[in-house]
Amino acid sequence: MTAYLRLSGALALAAATVVTLAASVPARAQTAAPTAQTLVPAQSEVTFVARQLGVPLNGRFKAFSVQSTFNPKALATSQVAFSIDLGSVAINAETDAELSKPDWFHTARFPKATFQSTAIKPAGPGRYDVAGKLSIKGQARDLVVPVQMTQANGLTTAVGGFTLKRLDFNVGGGDWGDPSIVANEVQVKFKLTLRGVPAL
């Protein structure tokens, strides 16, 4: 009888240990820190189209960075932050020099434009709506950016675009504030290639 009781007690203790360990695994998984992703600059780009007297001006930014902890299976805790070096604008030499001045980007005081996500929602297979705050020249505006994501060879490519109104951000003052000279709307497009994003 004593041996039986000892065996039963040992089995009960072992079972309790297994249950405790099993229960603790999900808890640790849920509290694990999200994995950060890294940008692949050579396969990424940020471009824009503005219009002067109805003529399109195609430009790009040569320097930008991304801080991302995107996880398609944990959107509630996913975060994306984006920063553009406004001094890296590239249209042509004359225009680039003009855009650094106070009437435009005023890069001496406001060197960067930033976007910080506040919510990410699914919008279809590989598609997401990323809501956040866009800040340029000290002005912040709410923005929702539709993004299409694809994966291949261990990399994730996020493609999207949006239209902003430059006058909302005090970009283009004086005579340049007239939208009949320089259009108020600017189309922005991006392709960001990242390493480390979990499977979609």
Side-chain angles (χ1 to χ4, degrees):
M1 178 66 71
T2 301
Y4 174 77
L5 290 175
R6 288 176 180 171
L7 180 58
S8 297
L11 290 174
L13 179 60
T17 301
V18 170
V19 170
T20 300
L21 290 173
S24 68
V25 170
R28 281 197 293 267
Q30 291 173 359
T31 58
T35 302
Q37 289 97 46
T38 56
L39 182 71
V40 182
Q43 299 182 42
S44 303
E45 63 180 12
V46 179
T47 63
F48 63 89
V49 179
R51 290 184 177 273
Q52 183 174 353
L53 298 175
V55 178
L57 294 174
N58 296 289
R60 65 187 179 94
F61 291 99
K62 296 181 288 185
F64 48 89
S65 62
V66 178
Q67 297 79 44
S68 173
T69 55
F70 177 80
N71 185 340
K73 296 178 176 59
L75 295 180
T77 57
S78 295
Q79 292 284 326
V80 177
F82 189 69
S83 178
I84 295 176
D85 181 352
L86 294 175
S88 73
V89 67
I91 298 177
N92 57 60
E94 182 180 358
T95 302
D96 298 348
E98 182 69 25
L99 288 176
S100 69
K101 296 179 179 179
D103 278 348
W104 292 94
F105 291 146
H106 198 348
T107 55
R109 184 177 177 187
F110 305 103
K112 296 183 182 295
T114 62
F115 175 83
Q116 174 64 59
S117 68
T118 54
I120 303 176
K121 297 182 179 179
R127 299 172 63 87
Y128 302 89
D129 288 333
V130 182
K133 291 277 188 184
L134 176 65
S135 297
I136 303 174
K137 207 177 178 182
Q139 305 296 314
R141 296 288 185 273
D142 292 324
L143 183 68
V144 178
V145 183
V147 179
Q148 174 74 57
M149 302 184 77
T150 57
Q151 293 181 319
N153 302 319
L155 299 176
T156 299
T157 301
V159 177
F162 57 90
T163 299
L164 63 81
K165 294 184 177 181
R166 64 179 181 87
L167 295 177
D168 286 349
F169 300 94
N170 294 332
V171 175
D175 292 339
W176 300 112
D178 184 350
S180 68
I181 298 175
V182 177
N184 190 21
E185 294 187 340
V186 179
Q187 284 75 47
V188 180
K189 294 184 179 181
F190 59 85
K191 181 183 77 170
L192 305 175
T193 300
L194 301 165
R195 296 185 190 277
V197 177
L200 299 176

